[in-house]
């Protein structure tokens, strides 16, 4: 059985979620992001996490 994938936001293994580029976001976090106001402090936290997805670290 599949153990699922590790969510980049909460770092927990989930089987339900969406794929973003090469990363994975679980449904709970996706809902939370969508329900968070952009003026909310928490939104910055999500954006920071997501920015790592869009700009993955280079392997040397
Ligand atoms: Zn999550």
């Amino acid at each position: 059985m599949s153990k699922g994938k590790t969510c980049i936001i909460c770092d927990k293994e989930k089987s339900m979620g969406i794929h973003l580029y090469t990363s994975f976001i679980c449904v709970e976090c996706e809902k939370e992001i969508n329900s968070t106001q952009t003026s909310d402090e928490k939104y910055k936290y999500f954006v920071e996490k997501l920015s790592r997805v869009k700009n993955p670290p280079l392997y040397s």
Side-chain angles (χ1 to χ4, degrees):
M1 287 295 286
S2 173
K3 284 178 71 186
K5 293 207 156 210
T6 305
C7 172
I8 56 152
I9 306 293
C10 63
D11 290 325
K12 287 173 187 164
E13 263 190 23
K14 300 286 176 79
S15 55
M16 295 280 288
I18 58 155
H19 290 271
L20 186 69
Y21 302 92
T22 56
S23 298
F24 175 81
I25 299 170
C26 72
V27 283
E28 287 93 340
C29 291
E30 194 207 352
K31 275 186 205 163
E32 193 155 13
I33 292 166
N34 288 334
S35 63
T36 302
Q37 299 293 308
T38 53
S39 57
D40 197 311
E41 275 293 310
K42 205 161 62 173
Y43 195 82
K44 288 181 192 170
Y45 168 80
F46 291 137
V47 168
E48 195 186 304
K49 288 263 188 184
L50 291 168
S51 68
R52 287 179 206 166
V53 178
K54 288 171 185 167
N55 300 292
L58 293 170
Y59 296 102
S60 57

